[in-house]
Amino acid sequence: VSCTAGTYWTSDPAPSEDASGSWWLEFAGELLCKGCPLNSTSARGAQSVSECACGPGFSGFAWCDGERCGPCLSCDPGTYKDVAGNTGSCTTCPDFTTSLIGSDSL
C-alpha cells in the first residue's frame, strides 16, 4: 500500500489531531494514510511523519508526537523559502528587496 503525496502511513494506535483541531483514533493493525502537519508535504509512499517537510514559503520542522502535530510557519515578510524541507528559518531577501508573508520565491 502506498499513500499519496502529502500523507504518510501508520499502523500505530494513537489519538491524533488534524489541522482543524479534530481528533481521531488510529486502530492497531490497520494501515492508515494520515495527512502531514499543516503547511507541510511528503513524497508519495512516505512511511512516517518524519518524511513530511515544510513546504516552500514555510519554515520550521513538521512533526507529530502521537498527541498533536506542529505546523510549519509562514516565512516572515522580507524572507522567502523556495524549496520544501525542514529548516529552522527562511532566507533573508537581498538588500533593497522585500517579500510578502509566506513567500516561496524572490
Side-chain angles (χ1 to χ4, degrees):
V1 174
S2 181
C3 294
T4 60
T7 66
Y8 65 96
W9 69 266
T10 182
S11 61
D12 296 330
S16 300
E17 181 182 16
D18 68 13
S20 68
S22 300
W23 287 86
W24 72 95
L25 184 65
E26 300 170 1
F27 297 96
E30 293 183 19
L31 180 64
L32 303 173
C33 293
K34 289 179 52 177
C36 287
L38 186 62
N39 302 322
S40 68
T41 190
S42 69
R44 179 181 170 90
Q47 296 185 13
S48 77
V49 70
S50 66
E51 295 181 56
C52 296
C54 296
F58 297 92
S59 67
F61 298 90
W63 60 271
C64 289
D65 66 6
E67 294 180 17
R68 57 197 157 104
C69 294
C72 299
L73 304 174
S74 297
C75 292
D76 291 330
T79 66
Y80 70 97
K81 185 168 154 254
D82 57 1
V83 295
N86 287 329
T87 60
S89 63
C90 297
T91 302
T92 301
C93 293
D95 289 344
F96 310 110
T97 65
T98 192
S99 64
L100 299 175
I101 191 169
S103 290
D104 60 7
S105 64
L106 283 174

